[in-house]
Amino acid sequence: MAQDAPQGRRFESPRASFDASGPKKPGDGDEVGGTCLEQTIVTARIEMLGVSKAFPGVRALDGVDFRVEAGEVHALMGENGAGKSTLIKIMTGAVQGDAGEIRLDGQTVRIGSTGDAQALGIGTVYQEVNLVPTMSVTKNMTLLRQPKRFGLIDWREARRRARQRLERLNIASQIDVERPLGSYSVAVQQLVAIARALEDDTRVLVLDEPTASLDANETALLFGIVRDLKARGIAIVFITHFIDQVYAIADRISVLRNGRRVGSAPTSELPPLQLIPMMLGRELETTERRAASESSAIHGEPILVAEGVGRRRVMAPFDLTLRPGEVVGLSGLLGSGRTEVAKLVFGAIKRDSGKLTIAGAEVKSASPARSLHLGVAYCPEDRKAEGLFAELSVRENIILGLQTKRGWLRRLSFDAQQALAEAMIEALGIATPDADKPVGQLSGGNQQKVVLARALTSDPRILILDEPTRGIDVGAHAEIVALIRKLCAEGLALLVASSELDELVAVSDRIAVLRDRRKVGEIEERAIDRQTIIDTIAGART
Amino acid sequence: MNEKFLPLLATIAVFVAIFVIGGLLYNNFMSTQVLGDILADNAFIITAAFGTTFVILSGGIDLSIGSMIGFVGVVIANLDLAGWHPLLAAALMLGFGFLFGALQGLIIDICDIQPFIVTLAGLFLLRGACFMINLDSVPIQNGFVGWFSGLGIPLPGGGVLRSSAIVMLLALAGGIVIAHFTRFGANVYAIGGDRTSATLMGVPVRRTTVGIYALGGFYSALGGVIYAFYTSSGYPLAGSGAELTAIASVVLGGTMLTGGVGMVAGTLFGGMILGLIATIIIFNGTLNGAWIMIVSGVLLFVFIVLQRSLVGSLRMRGAA
Ligand SMILES: Nc1ncnc2c1ncn2[C@@H]1O[C@H](COP(=O)(O)OP(=O)(O)OP(=O)(O)O)[C@@H](O)[C@H]1O
Ligand SMILES: [Mg+2]
């Protein structure tokens, strides 16, 4: 049967030494499909057969088989734009496939809407938090299945149920279920979304990059919950770009590449060294901490000096300097003020104290427009709310920053725009059929790359990145790190806020550590390593 | 104290403040009589505004309200000429309003056209229809109408809660139940808060959109019935511009034009505030009627600015 398997089923990487469609493994994903259907011994909890989906200009999925057992955590891996989100959207009724079949516990089911999926016991947390921020936590958690009394919604009971669900995740104490969801941090919203997706009769739980905005503690909390659910026999589909998380939690891995499944295997049989080439279709150069000699590009006078910059109730006054060619990292737990520092420096939050000097000139009233003129570019953390215009095309989004800097009267010619956009698509490897595709239709990671591209086209002297690699795959991650280094070698000054310590360790020349909205320390070049940062955050050193 | 009631409380506070200002300016202003009159005079527009509240909560807009009010009145008056009982005619028109609204909702959703355009077409269509039927005011002769508008519950202090106000309050009760105690109501808030998320959460967007505009049509037809009974006539120009007053009432009532946030009860006070301003200026006698619009405009502006800062503070905390 291995010979009849269509081409895309096997992976091409020479380093991967097993064949996913090996005939000896009953219950393996590839046993089903084609003529082998009857031989399926164990019925899977959920099974997708020959699923295809085309969007204008892209084959997002091409005859994908995917199978998850009960009580299994199944990691779905692949590059940005590989088709992961699309696959699970078809599984959960948010998107209709062009071809293929879905079976739940052996029964062929038709999932025409997300409501259908919920009714069948398929709970989902989609990529990007997708609840309604203006509604209360209770309303979000009980939407469409509010308890009723005498035909009307019984809110007291609804609140009780909402609390009970949060209780299951041990987060009920932190959350007032009456408050609007939008008043909580992204991480809390994410946990609420997971709590919402869990029903008593949930058979399948789908988590699309649930940990992208969680810190280590919250991730650990989530994994505890996932193990618990697994023990209850729920099938869990887990999408992430964090390789170590996959090995921490998943039992089995399936890899998608360019809309085809290139293999499935138990986690124990697929070490990272084989997994990554399988995902990327090529090897990955390892990213090491950059050598001190490389940092010699750092020279001269600081280009940015913040003295006592702060804002009441937002961020305690802090000092910060940035020299050309230097990368300064901002580290700290969620809510420690990373984003606030970035925004204060950029002028997206108005400071009420301190002095900010950029390129030798004092900036009296900072604003985003002013900063752009001074050659400061900023990539916000929340691309959905602040970063991108989903309806505008990739090209329009990319040239926006540059256009703002030039002023609207000096319009770029169409050809120039096109050339710029294409150069950026090429440089960052943005997966899109052409530059005219609306950004909202790109995959999550590719949207993030567009945010980066936009900041880069304005040709900044100072670049501020807030969570630059959230949702970006390992391959692109390495490319972005390489790009950052190259730009710094050319004299760009960079301020990077990130929740990923390894990323900061890899790129930073200096790290400012924040805790509870104040700057508690700065770690110099020589001293940078994971442990020092963790200790400083925890307050063991200052 | 739950912060979601803050905008409602703010609206009520403004209402009370303006009422007290009126009382300070004129001796006999702060009485149930004045209150009863304001309620009765504005009942039709506030009723229609309840429907608009749902539409705006869902992030849409309905411009066909004023024309609906005029059309309903003209048809009822003509059916009266033809010998229909006014209650029967009213029931027919309520059904018509519901269906007309539903049709607007269906077009908005299926063809994916902005509600502004679709309901603007509705505005022209219905107003045109009014003029096709009549060019002048037609009195409603049936004795029932006179008897009905004479009904009322006496209030302590000499005022009367007139029948039109009672119908409006019943409509409000219905609106509150629908908005806050039914799944449909919850879905309206979800769609208005974040349409994409609502879809992903499984909210039946099409059905809900149709329902929202149907409800809008129903409430504006009810407003038309109240107006026709209150004035005992059908006039093809009745309700001109009422859609904008209704929208103003909704906004003054604390509902956000961006959708997802607000309360039906707020609309009552929003409409009452506009009514109060008009009454105070008319009470004065020497002030030009134009001041009604100017003061209303200023208030509306202040409210929108307040709303914006409220949303801003919510966002700030979200980012923290
Ligand atoms: N609504 C849509 N319209 C058009 N194209 C789409 C749409 N949704 C997805 N696509 C395309 O389908 C492909 C697969 O996207 P998908 O979101 O499934 O990727 P992904 O594997 O989840 O990536 P990421 O890791 O970046 O989230 C991409 O090329 C994307 O541009
Ligand atoms: Mg995705």
Side-chain angles (χ1 to χ4, degrees), chain A residues 6 38 64 107 189 205 328 331 364 387 395 412 440 451 507 525:
Chain A
E38 287 80 64
V64 171
Q107 223 94 48
Q189 295 186 32
L205 179 66
V328 174
S331 184
K364 285 258 160 49
R395 174 172 51 80
L412 274 178
V451 175
V507 301
E525 164 92 71

Side-chain angles (χ1 to χ4, degrees), chain A residues 198-220:
Chain A
L198 280 176
E199 281 287 335
D200 291 328
D201 58 354
T202 297
R203 291 194 270 182
V204 181
L205 179 66
V206 181
L207 304 172
D208 193 353
E209 300 196 26
T211 52
S213 50
L214 301 190
D215 68 20
N217 291 334
E218 287 157 328
T219 304

